[in-house]
Amino acid sequence: MRYAILAAALAASVALPRVAQATDLEVTHWWTSGGEAAAVAELAKAFDATGNKWVDGAIAGSGGTARPIMISRITGGDPMGATQFNHGRQAEELVAAGLMRDLTPIAEKEGWKNFIKPSSLLDSCTLDGKIYCVPINIHSQQWLWLSNAAFEKAGVAVPKNWDEYVAAAPALEKAGIIPLAMGQQPWQTSLAFQVLVVALAGPDGFNKIYKDKDAEFAAGAEMAKVFDAADKARAMAAKSNVQDWNQATNMVISGQAAGQIMGDWAQGEFQVAGKVAGKDYTCLPGLGVNEVIQTAGDAFYFPVLKDEAKSAAQDVLASTMLSPTTQVAFNLKKGSLPVRGDVDLAAANDCMKKGLEILAKGNIIQSPDQLFSADSLTQVNDLFVEFFKDPKITAADAQKRFAEIVAAAD
């Protein structure tokens, strides 16, 4: 839904002078899983090293839970020093209301356009020619994470693509293994669907849906194949009774489940658990069908503050987040790719290297967050929550409703 911005809160602020005075700065985010917490610690350590202090404002749950709280605080006159959003359209109303700082001066001073790659990341932080956020990583959704031990127990080879994975489901179930782990947070089911779109309808099909809002394509034969695959995924995940995404990831780590469709942030959980890519688990970008990297990810926005020292600290934090050292340390823990194209990632594991190779080839797409409004994405989320919970909803019925959402999307 849209968040109404009170007219009284819309006054644009004048630039404040910056003073070199260390201070505490509250940073809100929704990174609370084991891997995420380890990554956040790297950001906090880097910022604290500047003489300032990172005051952690973690909000348990997902972005869908945290964003309304963050927005309410900002519009209610109680802004934090910095806040996480996904780079895209999630904060555009706050920006339009004059409640977020214009970072263009520091971006131009440090030459962000010269090293943030791909350029679409910074474009997603830009409104009316001004830069309002710091993209900190590249997160791609298009991954299938597989437990090598689960397939060994079931007596089948680790799949190389989606079709082989689906074919292995009966043997997995016979061995007492849940084929597909999936949590019940609304975004997880729509994420799985989006991944299936890219894998089975290809990047062009994805763009027809999310970029072009092509309702005719959404209702057509190519998308019918995607909905049939979603129906199979629903059956494979029928016994996956967990809520959070990292709980589903832990099912794969423990071998209770064979696989999970999830973004590359799942790597952080495997790493915390001491699992080794290529040995303990296998990762298939694009479900082993269409190897594509989605240029989604996380960004930090900086609300307008009246405190001069805290405003100065915001500049320091923005700069620190993009430093080469911080980019490497944070992203190795997070499982994501750096936004800087000039850093050394020799320590990257097998899965991260796959992502870097795909990125280097230019096989990229934008994320739905960058293409659909928050309203439209909420409607998609609601549809797939219902679809995955209710087997009585046929794939054809879901496709018809999805096409209607696409037709009205903004």
Side-chain angles (χ1 to χ4, degrees):
M1 63 179 179
R2 293 283 184 182
Y3 294 94
I5 308 297
L6 296 176
L10 304 187
S13 67
V14 295
L16 294 171
R18 303 286 173 251
V19 291
Q21 179 180 344
T23 187
D24 295 353
L25 199 67
E26 182 191 9
V27 184
T28 55
H29 59 87
W30 57 81
W31 289 327
T32 56
S33 75
E36 291 172 331
V40 170
E42 295 294 338
L43 296 180
K45 181 171 66 175
F47 184 59
D48 289 353
T50 68
N52 295 285
K53 181 173 177 56
W54 174 291
V55 179
D56 201 69
I59 300 173
S62 64
T65 300
R67 278 190 296 272
I69 297 171
M70 296 166 173
I71 292 169
S72 179
R73 282 190 54 183
I74 295 168
T75 58
D78 181 29
M80 62 294 290
T83 189
Q84 174 195 8
F85 284 104
N86 299 116
H87 40 71
R89 300 178 60 182
Q90 292 173 351
E92 63 186 7
E93 290 188 358
L94 296 172
V95 170
L99 298 175
M100 292 296 191
R101 279 194 52 199
D102 174 10
L103 302 178
T104 308
I106 187 173
E108 291 181 344
K109 178 182 178 182
E110 298 188 349
W112 291 2
K113 289 185 177 179
N114 297 327
F115 60 74
I116 292 179
K117 306 294 180 184
S119 60
S120 60
L121 297 175
L122 205 54
D123 291 343
S124 292
C125 288
T126 304
L127 186 67
D128 297 330
K130 297 180 179 180
I131 297 170
Y132 289 94
C133 70
V134 179
I136 193 171
N137 59 15
I138 302 170
H139 262 318
S140 178
Q141 298 179 354
Q142 282 74 35
W143 295 83
L144 176 60
W145 306 92
L146 301 171
S147 165
N148 291 357
F151 287 95
E152 182 178 354
K153 180 180 178 182
V156 293
V158 176
K160 295 183 177 62
N161 56 51
W162 172 255
D163 288 340
E164 290 183 6
Y165 180 44
V166 173
L172 292 165
E173 291 175 333
K174 186 177 180 180
I177 298 167
I178 297 170
L180 177 63
M182 185 173 292
Q184 301 304 308
Q185 291 164 307
W187 60 270
Q188 292 186 61
T189 48
S190 56
L191 178 149
F193 173 76
Q194 291 161 12
V195 174
L196 287 167
V197 171
V198 177
L200 305 181
D204 289 343
F206 175 88
N207 285 327
K208 285 180 180 179
I209 295 293
Y210 291 99
K211 188 174 183 179
D212 301 334
K213 302 354 182 247
D214 188 335
E216 183 177 350
F217 181 82
E222 286 299 309
M223 286 300 296
K225 297 176 184 176
V226 177
F227 277 88
D228 179 63
D231 187 36
K232 289 183 173 66
R234 175 171 61 178
M236 292 168 67
K239 295 182 180 179
S240 178
N241 297 316
V242 293
Q243 178 67 20
D244 296 339
W245 71 268
N246 53 304
Q247 292 174 319
T249 304
N250 285 330
M251 291 174 67
V252 181
I253 291 172
S254 67
Q256 181 182 352
Q260 179 190 26
I261 298 173
M262 186 49 58
D264 53 11
W265 49 89
Q267 284 196 84
E269 304 305 301
F270 283 99
Q271 183 169 307
V272 167
K275 301 300 182 181
V276 178
K279 176 185 175 184
D280 301 309
Y281 66 97
T282 296
C283 54
L284 296 180
L287 306 186
V289 183
N290 269 304
E291 294 191 350
V292 175
I293 285 293
Q294 181 174 290
T295 56
D298 302 292
F300 280 85
Y301 287 77
F302 297 81
V304 172
L305 301 177
K306 295 179 180 179
D307 186 301
E308 293 186 10
K310 291 187 185 299
S311 296
Q314 288 177 321
D315 288 351
V316 174
L317 179 56
S319 180
T320 301
M321 286 177 163
L322 286 175
S323 75
T325 302
T326 306
Q327 277 283 296
V328 171
F330 171 78
N331 283 292
L332 285 177
K333 292 285 178 66
K334 191 68 169 62
S336 48
L337 303 179
V339 299
R340 295 192 66 123
D342 59 353
V343 295
D344 181 11
L345 278 174
N349 66 25
D350 286 351
C351 294
M352 186 178 286
K353 286 177 181 176
K354 286 182 181 180
L356 290 168
E357 290 170 1
I358 296 168
L359 187 64
K361 294 176 183 176
N363 295 341
I364 60 175
I365 56 172
Q366 289 181 283
S367 74
D369 287 325
Q370 294 168 296
L371 302 171
F372 263 34
S373 69
D375 288 347
S376 297
L377 285 177
T378 297
Q379 292 177 50
V380 174
N381 286 349
D382 291 346
L383 169 61
F384 285 102
V385 166
E386 189 178 351
F387 176 74
F388 273 82
K389 281 186 176 180
D390 187 357
K392 294 191 297 294
I393 300 174
T394 67
D397 290 338
Q399 182 178 6
K400 182 177 183 296
R401 290 171 58 183
F402 180 70
E404 291 169 353
I405 294 172
V406 172
D410 60 352

